[in-house]
Amino acid sequence: MKKLLLAVTLTLATTGLAQAAGDPVAGQQKAAVCAACHGANGVSMVPNWPNLAGQHASYLTSQTIDIRDGRRSVPEMVGIVDNLTDQDIMDISAFYARQPANLGQADPALAERGRDLYRAGDIAKGIPACTACHMPNGGGNGPAAFPALSGQHPTYTINQLQAFRDGRRHNDPNAMMRMIAEKMTDAEMEAVASYMYGLHGTNR
């Protein structure tokens, strides 16, 4: 737990990437190529692909740059972002950040366990509460580039948690998410992903 708190502190202190402002008007035109997978307004019709609408521009920018520069492997994005400049990415991110976030509904059968994990974590297993970085309503933390999770497809969230656990995704600052995900079962990931899907992150 102490390691996680230190990692959060270091991230808050060092996050400078993606703070420059993008142009959402320019970003709308540049985002045309993204619509096939992520929807015209950033809400994907395919649960394997993330919703981008309402996401923090800082997070979208940092992740897209990581994908472009090879620090995060997303095979579906190969060739799509290769030629985007930092400014292109900031503009596209600014456009999606302005779009209304998706609204989901948690599975009632999973809601209680998901709520407990999200709000309180699991002390016995060393799993911290998700609220520490992603806020009680799932709205995330823009200045720290911690993503909003509310309304995100559970399938996508589960895939990312499993990728962190398995080491296939490793661009999390100070291995924060890897330390958490390696302690979670598939059932726990499913529960918390469903709960987050039903949150409404109104502070974005």
Side-chain angles (χ1 to χ4, degrees):
M1 189 70 71
K2 289 182 179 179
K3 289 182 178 179
L4 178 67
L5 291 174
L6 176 60
V8 172
T9 301
L10 289 172
T11 300
L12 287 168
T14 59
T15 299
L17 183 64
Q19 296 304 314
D23 180 351
V25 176
Q28 182 174 14
Q29 182 176 357
K30 295 175 182 180
V33 69
C34 310
C37 294
H38 298 289
N41 294 315
V43 177
S44 172
M45 298 299 292
V46 180
N48 287 332
W49 296 330
N51 295 321
L52 306 181
Q55 185 58 265
H56 296 293
S58 57
Y59 181 74
L60 292 176
T61 296
S62 66
Q63 293 303 302
T64 307
I65 288 176
D66 276 2
I67 293 167
R68 183 196 65 188
D69 295 349
R71 289 184 292 273
R72 177 179 172 185
S73 176
V74 182
E76 297 87 349
M77 296 285 284
V78 172
I80 297 176
V81 298
D82 294 1
N83 296 318
L84 293 179
T85 66
D86 286 358
Q87 188 61 55
D88 291 334
I89 292 171
M90 287 190 290
D91 292 344
I92 293 169
S93 299
F95 165 69
Y96 282 124
R98 294 275 188 96
Q99 305 311 302
N102 184 55
L103 298 179
Q105 184 172 352
D107 182 343
L110 301 173
E112 182 175 356
R113 178 56 174 152
R115 181 188 64 229
D116 290 346
L117 282 168
Y118 189 84
R119 294 183 178 179
D122 188 323
I123 296 176
K125 296 181 67 173
I127 300 173
C130 306
T131 56
C133 294
H134 301 288
M135 303 298 136
N137 63 0
N141 185 324
F146 293 152
L149 302 176
S150 60
Q152 188 59 263
H153 294 302
T155 298
Y156 176 77
T157 300
I158 293 167
N159 288 342
Q160 295 310 301
L161 287 170
Q162 291 176 340
F164 280 125
R165 183 181 62 189
D166 301 341
R168 290 177 285 115
R169 181 173 173 183
H170 45 76
N171 71 327
D172 51 324
N174 304 295
M176 285 188 294
M177 285 305 306
R178 280 171 283 175
M179 288 190 294
I180 296 169
E182 68 184 8
K183 300 170 184 175
M184 297 179 69
T185 65
D186 287 347
E188 288 169 334
M189 290 179 180
E190 182 182 11
V192 78
S194 177
Y195 178 73
M196 293 187 298
Y197 182 55
L199 290 174
H200 296 168
T202 55
N203 66 336
R204 280 186 259 175

